[in-house]
Amino acid sequence: MKTLKLGISIALFSGLLIFSSCEKNDKATNISSAGGTKSHNSGDNCMNCHKSGGDGEGSFQVAGTAYDSTKTATYTNVIVKLFTQPGGAGTLRATINGDAKGNFFTTETIDFSGGVYPVVYGSTGNAKYMASSVSEGACNACHGSSTGKIWVK
């Protein structure tokens, strides 16, 4: 009987450890930075995990991967800006610095009301403008799957 109680206690304790180790913090701050290397899964839709109730640390407001002009290698340390008008015009709503792995992401609140127009800047100052507005920031949900990859020279 003593062994049975010990076994049940260990199983319950192990279950608590597993449950608590998988619990993620939806409110965690998680923001990419130039030179950073903590990101992963380049090209995947980051919001599959980094969402409320997801397995990723923090709920991303904007996230994606940028590539160089060959579209086979990631472009390190891009800068993504979100404007209220096309062509980099209007009010700047957000600036997100990409990391050394080509990924950019932020848990900071972004105002998408009325839509925003993304611009991706390369290290030489070259820019790629998105001609249509977006109302959410899961960039790799479309780019790289149903539309072309995000790229810059």
Side-chain angles (χ1 to χ4, degrees):
M1 189 61 137
K2 195 175 196 180
T3 306
L4 179 60
K5 286 182 181 179
L6 178 61
I8 291 172
S9 296
I10 290 171
L12 289 172
F13 182 72
S14 296
L16 288 174
L17 284 178
I18 290 169
F19 178 74
S20 64
S21 67
C22 292
E23 196 172 305
K24 296 292 181 175
N25 181 0
D26 290 345
K27 304 288 186 210
T29 299
N30 195 353
I31 301 169
S32 56
S33 61
T37 59
K38 70 178 184 174
S39 70
H40 53 257
N41 299 331
S42 296
D44 290 348
N45 180 1
C46 310
M47 299 334 198
N48 285 336
C49 295
H50 293 273
K51 61 184 178 183
S52 181
D55 290 335
E57 192 69 25
S59 294
F60 288 163
Q61 296 293 301
V62 173
T65 306
Y67 293 86
D68 67 11
S69 60
T70 69
K71 300 179 191 132
T72 57
T74 58
Y75 196 111
T76 62
N77 306 316
V78 298
I79 297 173
V80 177
K81 294 187 177 188
L82 305 176
F83 292 92
T84 57
Q85 298 294 318
T91 303
L92 175 63
R93 292 257 175 97
T95 300
I96 303 133
N97 292 303
D99 68 12
K101 293 184 176 182
N103 294 319
F104 55 90
F105 49 92
T106 185
T107 54
E108 291 182 328
T109 300
I110 307 289
D111 179 6
F112 285 100
S113 62
V116 295
Y117 294 83
V119 181
V120 180
Y121 297 90
S123 59
T124 60
N126 288 328
K128 290 286 286 187
Y129 300 89
M130 189 165 167
S132 57
S133 68
V134 295
S135 58
E136 56 101 358
C139 302
N140 289 354
C142 295
H143 290 285
S145 59
S146 62
T147 62
K149 293 178 178 177
I150 299 167
W151 66 275
V152 68
K153 289 183 181 182

